[in-house]
Amino acid sequence: MTTPTTSAVLPPSPLVGEGLGERGSLDSGNTVAPHSTVPLSPTLPHEGGGGKGAVLSVRNLSVALPVGADRPFAADNISFDVKAGEILCLLGESGSGKSIISFAVMGLLPDNVRVSAGEIFLGDENLLTLSPAALRGKRGDDIAMVFQEPMTALNPVMTCGDQLDELLAEHTQLSAVERKAKTLAMFEAVKLPEPDRIFTSYPHQLSGGQRQRIMIAMALILEPKLLIADEPTTALDVTTQAEVLALIKTLQRERGTAVLFITHDMGVVAEIADRVVVLQNGKQVEAGSKDQVLRQPREAYTQMLIASVPGTEPPAEGIAHDGTALLSVVGLGKTYSSGGWFQKKRTTEAAKGVSFTLHPGETVGIVGESGSGKSTVARCITRLIDPTVGDMQLGSTRLDGVSRDSLKLARKRIQIIFQDPYRSLDPRQRVGEAIIEGPLNFGVSRTSAMARARELMNLVRLSPDVLSRYPNEFSGGQRQRISIARALALDPEVLICDEAVSALDVSVQAQVLKLLEEIQSQLNLAILFITHDLRVAAQICDRVLVMQRGEVVEQGTARDVFITPKHAYTQRLLASAPGRGFEFATQHIAVP
Amino acid sequence: MGNFLLKRIIATIPVMIIVAIIVFTLIRLVPGDPAAVIAGNMATNEDIARIRTELGLDRSFLTQLGIWGKGLIMGDLGQSFFFKKDVVGLIGERLEPTMALAFLTIVITVLVAVPLGTLAAWRHGGWLDRALMGFSVLGFSIPVFVLGYLLVYFFSLKLDWFPVQGYKPFANGVGPWLHHLLLPAFTLSIVYVALIARVTRASVAEALTEDYVRTARAKGLPESRVLIKHALANAAVPIITVIGIGIALLIGGVVVTESVFSIPGLGTLTVDAVLARDFPVIQGVILFFAFLYVMVNLLVDVSYLILDPRIRY
């Protein structure tokens, strides 16, 4: 395996940034000021000239997992520093231990994991030796945290104002009036509209972006020395993400806050990081300045990660697919209405006037943010929901206006792969049963369906021997392969991928996309690819539709849309893609 | 909110009408002639017929229902066959002991069960948690009358701490009132403590795994505040639901407890009325209980609105 750790390469005592300082300073693009190279005393790593300005200093930290876990350590011998005014990104895929490290710093590790070795210094205090009460006093005051899910990280039954107020009441001596004034000022600082209204609003009344602003306001209101941001923009739309990243960066610069930023997204790293620590399976793989890690990665794992990041530009002109369309959609619309006897009737147009065609062997992408109506279109085509208006035709078969029963044969020809492989497979059904369920419904004999399932497992690069296992025995990427096999079992002509790779790690994502492409060329499948991820769309689609608020605002070949976008919304969407314009090492290195 | 309340109160009217008709019909389907009971063992058939005419029981079913229904609209539940008194007045006389017992039971239950369940959830798997679970099984398995007699035996007969039976009205002072009521209320509360503590524990334990609890801890709040303002506040809806169900069950339960402790409340009135085939009283008491159920349900629904801002009807 490619996991030589930096800590094994470097002597344990110097700061990681220090050891890489020389390399970093050779790089003209390095944004970090050259560090002092005075070696530190191993016994007092938190003191001395080299640690000057280090707000957080993690020294040889190991976090042990309970006996019986898949590995002994969630984090294994991790060392890094975060200086005042600096953003350090912990970069890693799922299971890399990046979140565990942040919880160790906060003193909020789950009961069954514990720090087994190492030190965590905040300034010159070892957090691991503090009493629980003393540590609690630091949380929210000296160290603050922003979490991934703004939808669930705020208390749903408490007003936003009260949630900040209780923090101030706990850590300051301010009066109620002063606390309110301070909170409103902070709402203003994070650019929340109408702070007075937000103060008395409950979280569910705000959008995801606004909730994350509340979290940021809460984290920064006491001007902490250290801000830990755990995937703070992962759940947000790309335009909102760009705003929130800019906000964190601005506030952090203004206040000189040290930021430990946890992410799996290379684009976000390119956007925000000063320095990067790459983690894999709990081990520190590589550390250095952003430019050095992203442009000249030394370790094979980092190189592989970076090579997996899809570019923002389509690779080549897609093949033109002319002739008779396999699927044609004209003027598709879906209107939801709510309200009843007593309330005023309200209607929402989830999709409006959507028209496009799909040819055999072609991939058409529908890109858009949440609420743009892209999934509504997919569900209308599969008739999981009924469209309000519009014509849909598959070959010579009409899909709209016919009863669901008579659709049975058409359903066989259109199959769908869903976003979350952890929830789209029945946990109590063996994967083999899941794959043959469709064919059995269409009268295929059990033996021949099973034989076909074995072939399909080979096609998606899984062993046919695992057909008798349950979904929980597979990783996310493997489950998505099973979902693909399940969809292909009915020999569909059209495959709809509804955010099919969005929940996967970037390296796994790259593999699944490659697999889809191979299967497409083998079977001449038409693919409708629905995604919010512009990079993925740019790589895989021949043509692209951009949707906003239920309408298609732009459509054309992938190159036209991504390189010369015409509609203002498309331009804004592309400009918001994190790390756009940052030249990754992708093109320069060969993946080993 | 006002709109919602109005709608809900109007909706109780058809419910009450249906309950009234069912009660009226059911009682007349049950074997047993009130006239025969009143007339006694020595009465002749003529005596019984005469009493039946006096009570109006010789008229057709629909006529009787009509007369009763008309009275109901005027707030008149009719005359008791046995006590020769107004049913409304009769219920009024017996209301205080029953309500006092139910109220005290609920207060004891909530004060004991909710903190116990919350602490058990907080220290999941700890000694308190395990003790509570053991107690729950016990609380569920012992019938109220068995527990009642056991407690009377120890606390009243052996230790002489509480009176064996009887009731002192609230008007005579809180001390004697509480002294007479404490043992029955405690007896009644055991099973509800078991039920509500378990629900509290499950509900709070779930809330404690939520992201906002992690946020609250990351804010450096003391555990007490994390538990009460964040975990318990979010766990409140299922707990309130069960407390509502508890109150409804409790009103049924007082029939037994009042008999064990000889408290002259609605429970004893119900038992006496059933034994005497006192139709107007049975109808009146059941209708009154139904009304209480409906009101408790309404209160529970209103409390959802207050406890969870996301719920809007």
Side-chain angles (χ1 to χ4, degrees), chain B residues 297-313:
Chain B
N297 263 315
L298 181 61
L299 278 179
V300 167
D301 284 350
V302 170
S303 72
Y304 288 169
L305 286 179
I306 296 165
L307 292 169
D308 192 337
R310 287 166 299 181
I311 298 176
R312 285 292 167 263
Y313 294 108

Side-chain angles (χ1 to χ4, degrees), chain A residues 1 60 65 73 108 158 176 185 195 283 316 375 387 449 488 496 534 551:
Chain A
M1 286 302 293
N60 309 105
L65 285 168
F73 294 102
L108 290 175
M158 202 184 234
K283 294 201 167 66
S375 285
L488 294 177
I496 298 180
L534 300 169
E551 285 182 272

Side-chain angles (χ1 to χ4, degrees), chain B residues 120 123-136 201:
Chain B
R123 288 282 172 253
H124 207 91
W127 64 267
L128 178 72
D129 191 19
R130 276 174 291 165
L132 181 68
M133 289 301 100
F135 164 80
S136 292
R201 169 184 175 271

Side-chain angles (χ1 to χ4, degrees), chain B residues 61-80:
Chain B
F61 174 81
L62 283 179
T63 320
Q64 290 183 46
L65 180 61
I67 294 169
W68 186 60
K70 214 191 248 164
L72 262 187
I73 295 167
M74 314 300 290
D76 177 11
L77 290 170
Q79 287 275 321
S80 160

Side-chain angles (χ1 to χ4, degrees), chain A residues 152-153 155 163 166 171, chain B residues 211 215 217 219 225 230 234:
Chain A
T152 56
N155 185 342
Q163 301 198 37
E166 66 169 357
H171 293 289
Chain B
D211 287 355
T215 307
R217 290 194 171 129
K219 282 154 85 174
R225 192 170 172 90
H230 293 273
N234 275 283

Side-chain angles (χ1 to χ4, degrees), chain B:
Chain B
M1 179 88 122
N3 195 12
F4 161 75
L5 264 180
L6 193 71
K7 264 194 273 177
R8 283 296 304 263
I9 289 169
I10 292 170
T12 60
I13 295 170
V15 173
M16 294 311 295
I17 291 174
I18 292 166
V19 171
I21 294 172
I22 291 174
V23 168
F24 193 87
T25 314
L26 272 182
I27 280 181
R28 278 157 181 79
L29 291 175
V30 176
D33 185 349
V37 176
I38 291 169
N41 290 336
M42 309 299 288
T44 61
N45 281 346
E46 286 76 44
D47 291 337
I48 295 173
R50 185 177 43 79
I51 293 171
R52 200 176 282 145
T53 316
E54 270 174 29
L55 298 178
L57 291 171
D58 57 339
R59 286 181 240 185
S60 79
F61 174 81
L62 283 179
T63 320
Q64 290 183 46
L65 180 61
I67 294 169
W68 186 60
K70 214 191 248 164
L72 262 187
I73 295 167
M74 314 300 290
D76 177 11
L77 290 170
Q79 287 275 321
S80 160
F81 296 166
F82 187 76
F83 297 97
K84 302 292 175 200
K85 273 176 166 178
D86 219 24
V87 174
V88 176
L90 214 49
I91 291 177
E93 283 172 19
R94 304 296 194 95
L95 194 59
E96 189 198 301
T98 302
M99 288 297 122
L101 180 58
F103 175 75
L104 196 62
T105 306
I106 282 300
V107 168
I108 293 175
T109 303
V110 172
L111 287 183
V112 174
V114 174
L116 220 56
T118 308
L119 287 173
W122 185 50
R123 288 282 172 253
H124 207 91
W127 64 267
L128 178 72
D129 191 19
R130 276 174 291 165
L132 181 68
M133 289 301 100
F135 164 80
S136 292
V137 173
L138 213 64
F140 280 130
S141 348
I142 302 181
V144 172
F145 61 89
V146 173
L147 186 71
Y149 286 125
L150 276 176
L151 290 174
V152 166
Y153 179 76
F154 282 108
F155 290 102
S156 305
L157 297 178
K158 288 276 165 187
L159 296 168
D160 201 22
W161 287 359
F162 296 104
V164 175
Q165 56 180 42
Y167 178 75
K168 282 271 187 296
F170 192 72
N172 294 9
V174 182
W177 175 77
L178 211 55
H179 191 225
H180 277 83
L181 221 50
L182 219 47
L183 201 55
F186 182 72
T187 310
L188 259 182
S189 71
I190 293 289
V191 67
Y192 299 107
V193 168
L195 176 70
I196 291 168
R198 281 196 81 132
V199 171
T200 305
R201 169 184 175 271
S203 190
V204 172
E206 200 196 318
L208 280 172
T209 65
E210 297 286 345
D211 287 355
Y212 50 76
V213 167
R214 191 180 59 186
T215 307
R217 290 194 171 129
K219 282 154 85 174
L221 301 177
E223 277 299 295
S224 58
R225 192 170 172 90
V226 173
L227 263 184
I228 294 164
K229 291 290 286 188
H230 293 273
L232 189 56
N234 275 283
V237 165
I239 298 172
I240 291 289
T241 309
V242 176
I243 292 177
I245 296 169
I247 293 175
L249 290 173
L250 184 64
I251 298 170
V254 292
V255 175
V256 177
T257 322
E258 285 181 4
S259 307
V260 172
F261 293 97
S262 301
I263 293 168
L266 285 176
T268 18
L269 180 66
T270 314
V271 174
D272 293 347
V274 168
L275 292 178
R277 301 285 185 278
D278 196 342
F279 288 178
V281 176
I282 302 173
Q283 287 162 190
V285 171
I286 293 178
L287 208 57
F288 178 72
F289 280 163
F291 177 72
L292 282 183
Y293 289 154
V294 170
M295 285 299 121
V296 167
N297 263 315
L298 181 61
L299 278 179
V300 167
D301 284 350
V302 170
S303 72
Y304 288 169
L305 286 179
I306 296 165
L307 292 169
D308 192 337
R310 287 166 299 181
I311 298 176
R312 285 292 167 263
Y313 294 108

Side-chain angles (χ1 to χ4, degrees), chain A residues 391-409:
Chain A
D391 298 327
M392 303 186 297
Q393 190 110 8
L394 177 68
S396 57
T397 316
R398 268 189 76 180
L399 295 178
D400 59 288
V402 292
S403 76
R404 283 171 188 245
D405 283 341
S406 60
L407 270 174
K408 200 175 166 187
L409 282 173

